[in-house]
Amino acid sequence: MAPNNEGQAEGSTTLFKSIKQQLHLDNEQLKQVMGTMQSEMVEGLCRSDSTSSLGMLPSYVSSVPCGDERGCYLALDLGGTNFRVLLIKILDETNDSKKCRVEMANQIFSLPESIIQGDSEGFFGYIAECIAMFCEEHGLMDSYLPVGFTFSFPLEQRGLNQGVLLTWTKGFDVSGVKGQDVVQLLTAAINKRGDMNCEVVAIVNDTVGTMMSCALTEPHCKIGLIVGTGCNACYMEKLSNVHMVDGEHGDMCINMELGGFGDNGVLDEIRTEFDKAVDSDSLNPDCHLFEKMISGMYLGELVRLILCKLTKEGAIFNGEGSKKLFTPGMFKTAYVSEIEYKSVDDKLHGNILIRNILQELGLTPDDADCEAVHNVCHLVSKRAAHLCAAGVAAVALKVKENHDTESMKVTVGVDGTVYRKHPTFSKLMSQKVEELCDGTGVSIDFVLSHDGSGKGAALVAAAMSEKVC
Ligand code: GLC
């Protein structure tokens, strides 16, 4: 940063201060977010026509796995950058038939933009083709296979194997699917090919799969969390509180569609000009506003927009940007992770690495610019982790309230690229959760869920079908 004159230097400092202020959320503000979220949860559970911005969608999964699920299943994982097909065998643990062991084989297929922004027939035809390629490769074309389908978008479910798409999120925009039952569309595409013998027996959100796979080993696991391309949570709710589903006894897992929090305006006070710009340039404006402050699909873009503003005001890069810096989507969330990681311990070395990234973007940074870019990445990451912490704390308090107990240990099964790969996110989130829950009697544990989207869907499918291996 080489300001031309003193006035400009002062202006830069004021601009930095204002950005810092906008992105900083103190505990009081975070507790307000929690309080609002708790009311919206209750409101969302009560009525399907509620004004709550939380979907609070019943998943028809009514218990965590009991451990005696066995069999061979196909699991499909759709909702991130790629599509995955998995063959999952749930077997007896060697020497202990009361426990199970899971064997998996999987194949990853890319999802070209022409497919995820094309039409329904092309989309489901492509998915069915990928499944056929996998089955062919593994000699499964003639085997009957129950399918657990992890479909990570908001679905209105009327049962475990029915799900009507409410809206697309995360850059997907396939025409002709909204309002349709996704299981029927996929089944039709599979039947049209006529070369496979598989049946979708369960459709689950990725948060639900994550919670289920974690609950297999962690009995206190009552919450599933994803912080990846998107951000969402599910939790076990008392059925008597779920007014859209009949029944008074037992529990039901609720897909909160946490990413949609704020879509009714309740977060307007803390949304910045950068959040508004990310939203209005997205494929789904006014939708999933909380997600757009937290998840991997948007963190890089938030940083880029802030850097553009700082550049235009002459506060960094000597006021000179580059074509790439001014192009939407060019500052990847992976850069945010790399920059956070590389500046954690070794400032000097860190600056060299930050400089390399910025040079790739066609910029000519000095040390002060590298520092500034690191600060912006940190502020955006910290806010995301703290908002996510407020979400987790609010859900955990609801779980405790349902159990009517003084104190409770709640385990959160968690997955997603931001949680796994961002160097400071998980720590910032768990520290903040601890602060926010201090004095409430709730203690929260995060457990990384291994392959929840695959294993979890297979576990739900297992609960639904006969043992087939
Ligand atoms: C989006 C989807 C949600 C999913 C989340 C994480 O928020 O709407 O269903 O769980 O991304 O993948």
Side-chain angles (χ1 to χ4, degrees):
M1 184 174 23
N4 301 334
N5 56 48
E6 266 178 38
Q8 197 172 356
E10 217 171 276
S12 305
T13 317
T14 318
L15 183 58
F16 266 115
K17 258 196 188 153
S18 134
I19 289 174
K20 195 171 171 185
Q21 242 165 29
Q22 290 181 61
L23 292 172
H24 177 74
L25 297 170
D26 60 27
N27 282 0
E28 202 176 309
Q29 287 169 299
L30 291 171
K31 282 184 181 169
Q32 256 172 33
V33 170
M34 281 168 68
T36 311
M37 191 177 289
Q38 282 172 305
S39 331
E40 298 253 311
M41 284 173 81
V42 175
E43 165 86 12
L45 285 172
C46 283
R47 299 200 321 258
S48 53
D49 65 341
S50 85
T51 54
S52 168
S53 57
L54 292 169
M56 304 306 283
L57 305 167
S59 70
Y60 289 83
V61 168
S62 52
S63 62
V64 293
C66 61
D68 65 3
E69 295 79 6
R70 298 290 181 273
C72 248
Y73 304 93
L74 213 56
L76 311 177
D77 181 9
L78 181 70
T81 344
N82 298 308
F83 170 58
R84 274 192 324 153
V85 185
L86 303 95
L87 175 66
I88 301 201
K89 293 183 184 173
I90 314 176
L91 311 157
D92 284 345
E93 181 61 281
T94 331
N95 304 329
D96 186 355
S97 63
K98 288 208 180 87
K99 289 191 180 152
C100 68
R101 126 184 106 81
V102 178
E103 278 179 15
M104 296 198 276
N106 80 89
Q107 199 171 336
I108 296 174
F109 299 90
S110 65
L111 286 170
E113 200 168 278
S114 57
I115 292 291
I116 65 170
Q117 290 172 19
D119 65 18
S120 171
E121 205 181 326
F123 181 76
F124 286 101
Y126 178 78
I127 297 299
E129 190 183 328
C130 296
I131 303 172
M133 277 161 74
F134 179 87
C135 287
E136 181 84 66
E137 171 87 21
H138 290 83
L140 297 166
M141 285 313 245
D142 299 322
S143 322
Y144 170 74
L145 283 171
V147 177
F149 186 8
T150 300
F151 184 79
S152 309
F153 300 95
L155 287 182
E156 186 176 308
Q157 293 192 244
R158 293 275 152 78
L160 208 44
N161 63 352
Q162 292 170 22
V164 171
L165 180 68
L166 293 172
T167 184
W168 286 114
T169 52
K170 297 179 290 194
F172 281 63
D173 192 15
V174 185
S175 62
V177 186
K178 214 167 129 179
Q180 302 294 314
D181 184 336
V182 177
V183 176
Q184 276 178 19
L185 293 176
L186 177 59
T187 306
I190 291 173
N191 291 346
K192 190 172 169 197
R193 295 181 57 91
D195 54 358
M196 286 179 280
N197 188 12
C198 50
E199 180 193 7
V200 181
V201 296
I203 186 160
V204 293
N205 190 257
D206 50 355
T207 53
V208 180
T210 296
M211 184 194 74
M212 293 294 279
S213 85
C214 181
L216 204 55
T217 48
E218 302 287 333
H220 295 290
C221 185
K222 300 252 183 289
I223 299 176
L225 174 72
I226 298 282
V227 200
T229 309
C231 171
N232 191 14
C234 72
Y235 73 104
M236 292 307 286
E237 178 56 272
K238 277 163 117 176
L239 190 53
S240 56
N241 288 341
V242 187
H243 297 281
M244 286 95 76
V245 180
D246 292 339
E248 283 301 305
H249 304 291
D251 295 324
M252 178 158 298
C253 180
I254 299 294
N255 164 16
M256 293 176 63
E257 285 300 321
L258 181 63
F261 183 51
D263 291 2
N264 57 358
V266 291
L267 287 179
D268 285 1
E269 261 181 40
I270 60 168
R271 288 179 67 229
T272 65
E273 59 187 284
F274 309 107
D275 298 308
K276 289 175 192 159
V278 162
D279 177 48
S280 61
D281 292 347
S282 70
L283 274 180
N284 56 345
D286 300 323
C287 173
H288 268 47
L289 301 182
F290 195 60
E291 176 161 283
K292 287 173 182 158
M293 298 166 97
I294 296 175
S295 79
M297 175 122 191
Y298 308 99
L299 289 183
E301 186 61 5
L302 278 169
V303 167
R304 190 190 70 82
L305 288 170
I306 297 171
L307 296 183
C308 285
K309 170 138 188 177
L310 287 166
T311 308
K312 282 182 189 153
E313 301 281 326
I316 53 173
F317 309 135
N318 231 348
E320 274 178 46
S322 65
K323 194 164 174 239
K324 282 188 179 165
L325 178 70
F326 292 127
T327 306
M330 288 311 280
F331 201 101
K332 300 181 204 121
T333 297
Y335 291 159
V336 180
S337 288
E338 280 176 49
I339 289 171
E340 274 281 85
Y341 180 70
K342 282 160 184 167
S343 3
V344 173
D345 302 324
D346 177 353
K347 232 179 184 177
L348 183 67
H349 197 217
N351 272 0
I352 296 172
L353 297 159
I354 295 174
R355 192 181 301 245
N356 285 345
I357 292 179
L358 296 174
Q359 278 169 350
E360 255 175 56
L361 290 171
L363 299 157
T364 39
D366 61 20
D367 274 351
D369 293 328
C370 293
E371 261 325 273
V373 170
H374 172 243
N375 283 340
V376 171
C377 288
H378 186 65
L379 287 171
V380 168
S381 304
K382 191 168 78 176
R383 184 186 68 153
H386 288 176
L387 280 171
C388 200
V392 171
V395 184
L397 288 178
K398 177 80 171 80
V399 171
K400 181 194 161 227
E401 190 185 299
N402 285 348
H403 282 75
D404 200 14
T405 157
E406 284 289 295
S407 64
M408 188 169 181
K409 182 179 160 185
V410 182
T411 299
V412 180
V414 50
D415 204 351
T417 40
V418 173
Y419 186 83
R420 276 175 189 275
K421 295 197 175 151
H422 188 291
T424 54
F425 187 93
S426 57
K427 195 159 174 214
L428 287 167
M429 176 169 72
S430 59
Q431 277 169 349
K432 190 51 78 177
V433 160
E434 213 169 288
E435 279 173 37
L436 296 173
C437 288
D438 190 33
T440 63
V442 173
S443 82
I444 299 179
D445 242 10
F446 290 91
V447 174
L448 190 62
S449 165
H450 293 285
D451 233 318
S453 295
K455 224 195 291 177
L459 285 165
V460 178
M464 286 301 291
S465 45
E466 304 262 307
K467 297 174 184 176
V468 288
C469 263

